[in-house]
Amino acid sequence: MKEPTRPIPQPTVDRDGSLVAHTVATPTAFKVRARVTIGSRKVIPVIFVPGIMGSNLRARRDMAARNDDILKPGEAAWRPPNGAVDGYKEARKWSRRGPSHRQRILDGSLLEVDPAGELDFAPYALDQRELRERGWGEVYADSYGALLVDLQKHLDKTFQVTPHGNREIRHFWRRVMQCPPAQWGVRNVERVTESELEKYAAFQYPVYAFGYNWLESCTVSAQRLRRRIDEIKKFWIERKHECRKVILVTHSMGGLVARACARASDPGDGSAPDIAGIVHAVMPALGAPVAYRRIASGTERGNFTNGLSDNLRAGKFAEIAGDTSAETTPVMAVSAGILQLLPNHLYPKPWLSIKTVSVVNRREQVRDHLALPDGNPYDFYRDMKSWYRMIDPTLADPAGRYTSSRGGAEALIVKSIDEAERFHTKVLTANDGNGAPLRPYYHPNSYAFYGADRTFKAYGQIRWVAREESTGSTALTARNIRSGRLVLSDTNGTREVEIETDLRLRFALWPQDSHGDETVPVQSASAPAQYIRQIFGPDGFRHQESFQHESMLLLTRHLIVKIVQEVQ
């Protein structure tokens, strides 16, 4: 009869390569032996890169304090709430913070990654010291804990021996192999085979998390990711392990960071040979119009397709992120990282329309007047004078921090938009040579999945709409609407516009129009399809919850196995 065993935490690795496992002393009468899993000496670290707002931030420890600073050096600045109670408390705290307060806390130039975040995950096989060293405390536990725990529990355990001495595939890998393709949003899938698992099982897969300052340019975050990859490889090599490649798993904005990192990695041709592959989840590949909406009118408080409880949660998030443009502009308008999430030069145009609604023969009639942007979208963002502008520069510096700098807040805004344009048109581009046009860059061994739910509507376009009175004497044209004068902006996001001299219209934003995941519309998220190995478009999850969906955890493991097949 097989002797009973109990699992203990995985061993740690000393600098000389020795494996060290710890357990507690037990009485001699306790006959259950401790069981420790020893991984391969060939290591492929899996590094998770989160989305915007998914990294914990603190005031830089080397920050030179100013008289109006709110945070002390090293003090936490951004900690996403974990759980409903924590979310309610965080919403109350941020709802009391005005524009000036927000600007002084979320100043990207004064912040750095905070590694001391929540580690209250489900049971895992590593102690907290090891998790800190692997960066788990840098990221949002509530959103990403399920993924990190799932990978840590399952990646290193592929086969097992039955009581009869036969090898068999563990049940959690059989579920990956048997998952219906429809749950992954495709008709057919090349299933993982037992021979592929045999090759996969020859490696060990330690799981890391990489936090970054999401207010800074993704270019800066990509450089930091490159250094982290080098540090992780060096760690294992110094401990007598073979570690030549890593795998990146990303969420949302983290996909842009990972692509920029791979694009700039040696030898500089985009091959990034020490990155075995990248799994992209819900990436805004072409940007997302919701970024314009949140700067121009504040964070939306829900979705018309949601139920009451979901909209209550969305309202709490809006209180944290800022539900008016006065609250969002001081943070978002000067943040290159956030501006890099706007619809870029490849997003299908036009994506902003201006309409009026009138009643004709007792029926409502919608008229289209303007379709924008009608040129370079970054010129559209740099426009801070038109009534439909995204950024009101007078809202950007309530704390008066840029008054002494040349050009003030407006110059900093333009600089940040310029960096966003450079990032998409220069950094995330590739040239195949032979005079071919530039194309978006993706690592050659990339996979992606995105939310394609018809219920979880996202902004595929922005629609400013006003009700047109039938008694008006001014004929509306594209010219006079474009040149209209902004008279008043309400806190609810509506804008009163004077057309010529005798007509005023109140423009409001129509709700989300495109299927997606409530944040990224399908026209952006599906764009990598022609450049990567395979893309999956399932439904059933919201943007921030994509790695809490069981089918997506199975898909992530499936894709990691496929990536490893290319490792020589």
Side-chain angles (χ1 to χ4, degrees), residues 258-274:
R259 287 169 58 197
C261 173
R263 182 71 182 87
S265 295
D266 288 338
D269 59 0
S271 61
D274 70 344

Side-chain angles (χ1 to χ4, degrees), residues 379-508:
D379 289 337
F380 175 68
Y381 304 140
R382 283 185 279 258
D383 167 24
M384 291 177 258
K385 294 185 171 26
S386 63
W387 70 262
Y388 46 80
R389 65 193 175 191
M390 178 178 70
I391 298 172
D392 178 354
T394 65
L395 300 178
D397 189 22
R401 291 201 153 182
Y402 314 130
T403 54
S404 60
S405 60
R406 186 174 181 179
E410 193 163 336
L412 184 57
I413 292 169
V414 171
K415 180 181 177 182
S416 300
I417 295 172
D418 291 348
E419 171 58 20
E421 180 176 20
R422 190 190 75 82
F423 177 73
H424 283 288
T425 60
K426 303 295 183 184
V427 177
L428 289 190
T429 58
N431 191 337
D432 291 332
N434 302 319
L438 293 175
R439 62 173 177 81
Y441 167 78
Y442 291 89
H443 184 278
N445 198 14
S446 292
Y447 295 85
F449 70 83
Y450 62 93
D453 200 296
R454 295 183 179 275
T455 301
F456 299 145
K457 296 290 188 181
Y459 287 102
Q461 59 178 314
I462 299 295
R463 298 170 294 176
W464 285 105
V465 184
R467 182 162 293 279
E468 184 182 352
E469 297 298 332
S470 57
T471 57
S473 59
T474 298
L476 293 175
T477 66
R479 179 187 293 271
N480 63 17
I481 286 182
R482 186 188 286 269
S483 60
R485 183 176 68 87
L486 181 63
V487 177
L488 177 68
S489 291
D490 286 345
T491 56
N492 65 4
T494 61
R495 296 181 179 183
E496 186 172 329
V497 180
E498 184 179 70
I499 309 297
E500 295 185 358
T501 58
D502 61 346
L503 176 63
R504 289 193 177 188
L505 298 176
R506 290 183 63 83
F507 285 91

Side-chain angles (χ1 to χ4, degrees), residues 60-91:
R60 286 203 330 257
R61 288 167 298 175
D62 62 353
M63 181 179 73
R66 292 185 280 194
N67 291 335
D68 65 341
D69 279 337
I70 294 173
L71 301 176
K72 299 175 183 177
E75 186 177 351
W78 174 255
R79 290 275 184 88
N82 295 299
V85 174
D86 200 14
Y88 176 77
K89 292 178 180 177
E90 198 71 9

Side-chain angles (χ1 to χ4, degrees), residues 110-129:
L110 302 179
L111 301 179
E112 64 183 6
V113 175
D114 181 2
E118 181 65 69
L119 286 180
D120 187 20
F121 300 110
Y124 39 70
L126 299 173
D127 62 32
Q128 293 209 358
R129 180 189 60 80

Side-chain angles (χ1 to χ4, degrees), residues 23 29 56 85 98 147 171 188 198 218 227 269 290 308 398 400 540 566:
T23 184
N56 301 313
V85 174
L147 171 69
H171 70 92
N188 298 290
E198 286 174 349
C218 290
R227 292 194 295 272
D269 59 0
V290 71
L308 176 61
E566 301 294 321

Side-chain angles (χ1 to χ4, degrees), residues 241-471:
H241 286 65
E242 178 188 306
C243 184
R244 297 184 293 109
K245 295 178 182 288
V246 303
I247 293 172
L248 303 181
V249 177
T250 77
H251 180 257
S252 192
M253 183 186 194
L256 305 181
V257 174
R259 287 169 58 197
C261 173
R263 182 71 182 87
S265 295
D266 288 338
D269 59 0
S271 61
D274 70 344
I275 298 176
I278 305 178
V279 178
H280 293 293
V282 297
M283 175 174 54
L286 306 182
V290 71
Y292 168 98
R293 195 261 190 241
R294 290 178 179 177
I295 299 174
S297 298
T299 305
E300 67 282 9
R301 298 188 68 89
N303 192 312
F304 69 98
T305 60
N306 280 347
L308 176 61
S309 62
D310 289 326
N311 278 336
L312 284 174
R313 283 197 298 270
K316 294 303 177 185
F317 172 73
E319 290 178 18
I320 294 171
D323 59 2
T324 68
S325 58
E327 292 174 334
T328 59
T329 300
V331 176
M332 298 178 70
V334 297
S335 164
I338 293 177
L339 297 174
Q340 284 159 353
L341 299 179
L342 287 162
N344 66 24
H345 61 297
L346 298 175
Y347 194 95
K349 290 186 293 187
W351 53 263
L352 185 145
S353 58
I354 297 173
K355 307 170 183 283
T356 57
V357 178
S358 58
V359 176
V360 178
N361 296 326
R362 290 189 276 185
R363 297 182 63 181
E364 286 195 338
Q365 185 178 81
V366 179
R367 297 173 59 199
D368 292 313
H369 298 283
L370 271 180
L372 300 168
D374 48 8
N376 180 356
Y378 298 97
D379 289 337
F380 175 68
Y381 304 140
R382 283 185 279 258
D383 167 24
M384 291 177 258
K385 294 185 171 26
S386 63
W387 70 262
Y388 46 80
R389 65 193 175 191
M390 178 178 70
I391 298 172
D392 178 354
T394 65
L395 300 178
D397 189 22
R401 291 201 153 182
Y402 314 130
T403 54
S404 60
S405 60
R406 186 174 181 179
E410 193 163 336
L412 184 57
I413 292 169
V414 171
K415 180 181 177 182
S416 300
I417 295 172
D418 291 348
E419 171 58 20
E421 180 176 20
R422 190 190 75 82
F423 177 73
H424 283 288
T425 60
K426 303 295 183 184
V427 177
L428 289 190
T429 58
N431 191 337
D432 291 332
N434 302 319
L438 293 175
R439 62 173 177 81
Y441 167 78
Y442 291 89
H443 184 278
N445 198 14
S446 292
Y447 295 85
F449 70 83
Y450 62 93
D453 200 296
R454 295 183 179 275
T455 301
F456 299 145
K457 296 290 188 181
Y459 287 102
Q461 59 178 314
I462 299 295
R463 298 170 294 176
W464 285 105
V465 184
R467 182 162 293 279
E468 184 182 352
E469 297 298 332
S470 57
T471 57

